[in-house]
Amino acid sequence: MADLLECLLQIKALRETPGRLQDLVGAIPAAQWDIRPAPETWAPLEVVAHLADVELVHGIRLRQVLSIERPLLVAVDPHALAVRARYRSWPLSVAFDRFKSRRAETLELLDTCRADELERVGVHPRRGAMTVADLVAFMLTHDIDHLGQIRERLGLLVPPTAAPQGEPA
């Protein structure tokens, strides 16, 4: 029962990601979204485009697990996909709208799952056996990591300051 409740809470958190991203999109000028902190480091815009594209992958994986017995899940190289899809050329509004609509489709699918279906298993090439609930947890971790990257790259995260000498950190 605890695992089911945890999964339902994670699905609820997945539902909140587009709103959190929308808050950032609305608060920060579009020009800042295209600034790369280093030549080979994605700009915030590219991270949003990545979220949109990977949401397709998440949807495919979920559909595989829910419709095929122990499927081999697809794996993608996110950097190769970024180059192929030309993330830097996406307008911010397009990247965000794609993520938002693709996430809505994923949530629509998850909303149809019964408790026993959350335990269905697929096999990921690198992570091994994963249940639908595991995929949901992975998706949420992915969201949290990339929202943090976006906030950091937009200059919204302040690094911790060192504690004065003699005081605990």
Side-chain angles (χ1 to χ4, degrees):
M1 183 62 118
D3 290 338
L4 173 60
L5 179 58
E6 183 177 357
C7 187
L8 293 175
L9 290 172
Q10 290 169 338
I11 291 170
K12 181 181 183 293
L14 289 176
R15 202 174 302 284
E16 295 169 0
T17 300
R20 292 173 192 227
L21 191 53
Q22 176 66 60
D23 290 345
L24 294 172
V25 170
I28 305 297
Q32 285 185 248
W33 288 81
D34 199 35
I35 299 170
R36 282 184 164 179
E40 297 301 316
T41 303
W42 286 348
L45 162 65
E46 293 170 286
V47 178
V48 178
H50 165 75
L51 285 169
D53 256 7
V54 168
E55 195 64 27
L56 284 173
V57 175
H58 294 322
I60 290 167
R61 288 175 180 161
L62 289 167
R63 283 165 176 79
Q64 286 180 291
V65 176
L66 291 168
S67 64
I68 302 168
E69 200 59 41
R70 289 188 67 85
L72 180 60
L73 303 177
V74 295
V76 296
D77 176 341
H79 296 288
L81 186 56
V83 170
R84 178 73 181 116
R86 298 178 33 227
Y87 289 165
R88 291 246 18 219
S89 70
W90 293 23
L92 179 59
S93 61
V94 169
F96 174 69
D97 288 345
R98 286 180 182 172
F99 171 70
K100 187 170 68 171
S101 66
R102 292 168 181 175
R103 174 56 57 89
E105 292 171 357
T106 300
L107 292 168
E108 183 180 321
L109 180 65
L110 288 169
D111 286 344
T112 68
C113 288
R114 299 182 316 266
D116 63 306
E117 290 176 317
L118 296 175
E119 294 305 315
R120 288 184 60 91
V121 175
V123 181
H124 189 277
R126 290 184 300 276
R127 293 181 193 90
M130 298 183 75
T131 64
V132 170
D134 293 333
L135 290 168
V136 167
F138 176 79
M139 291 170 60
L140 182 56
T141 299
H142 187 260
D143 282 6
I144 291 167
D145 288 347
H146 285 306
L147 283 173
Q149 278 182 342
I150 291 167
R151 291 178 62 78
E152 177 186 354
R153 292 171 191 180
L154 291 172
L156 299 174
L157 294 182
V158 179
T161 57
Q165 287 289 359
E167 292 184 31

